[in-house]
Amino acid sequence: WSYGFGAIDPEFVYDMATGALMTDAYGDYYIIYGSWKGGIALMTVDNETFMPTLNGQLLNQCADQVPDAFGKFIAGGNGAGYEGAQLIYNSDNQYYYLFVSMGDLKYEYRVGVGRSKNIEGPYLDASGNSLSSVNSSASNSQNNYHNHGNKIWGAHIFEGQYGWSSPGGLSICRTDKGKLIMAAHT
């Protein structure tokens, strides 16, 4: 995808309600990974070896050398600052939730979210904006990545105390008592 692509910040996709890892029709696990300015991808790995798969077959070479093996583009790209993504499923309401770290690494860096009924998207925010139709160079247009993804955590200054700057790089998990927690850097 435009602006290059790298395989960083991998996370397994799992069902928040049950804790089960999500699998495709072949029983392979879904993972999500991304690249600063290159986009967020969804791909599959073998459920025993964790090696990349395509249509249920193990790859016999690097995924970036096989057409479509590096995954399906689902968010970011076009120079938009999206990274540190996590995709979770909630079988209670049958929605997938895509959380991404977004923005530049200054004060505006934040965590945003979109949701979809389909694991491959499109992931939409509450205003119906797709997290995959973004562009970093669209300065004042609706497609500027600043206009996509519901902001759920951002920088904040507390009166008389230290605040948060650039929260992101998140991981979401459920405690053994059922409480959802999010860990991130700031």
Side-chain angles (χ1 to χ4, degrees), residues 107 109 152-158 161-167 185-186:
Y107 186 78
Y109 196 75
I152 61 168
W153 191 14
H156 186 78
I157 298 173
F158 297 99
Q161 301 177 35
Y162 289 107
W164 295 319
S165 177
S166 304
H185 65 68
T186 181

Side-chain angles (χ1 to χ4, degrees), residues 35-119:
S35 170
W36 181 251
K37 302 203 183 261
I40 305 297
L42 176 72
M43 71 179 299
T44 55
V45 296
D46 182 72
N47 62 20
E48 291 182 20
T49 66
F50 302 109
M51 298 296 292
T53 61
L54 181 63
N55 300 323
Q57 300 296 312
L58 278 174
L59 297 181
N60 58 7
Q61 62 192 61
C62 293
D64 63 353
Q65 297 175 6
V66 178
D68 299 323
F70 54 83
K72 173 155 177 63
F73 167 78
I74 60 171
N78 299 310
Y82 280 20
E83 66 179 354
Q86 185 170 13
L87 180 60
I88 59 173
Y89 181 64
N90 184 342
S91 56
D92 290 340
N93 66 10
Q94 299 180 343
Y95 272 102
Y96 291 91
Y97 294 88
L98 177 62
F99 296 85
V100 296
S101 300
M102 55 175 57
D104 68 30
L105 296 177
K106 298 177 185 171
Y107 186 78
E108 70 169 24
Y109 196 75
R110 64 203 180 280
V111 175
V113 65
R115 71 179 191 168
S116 177
K117 287 281 190 176
N118 185 323
I119 195 167

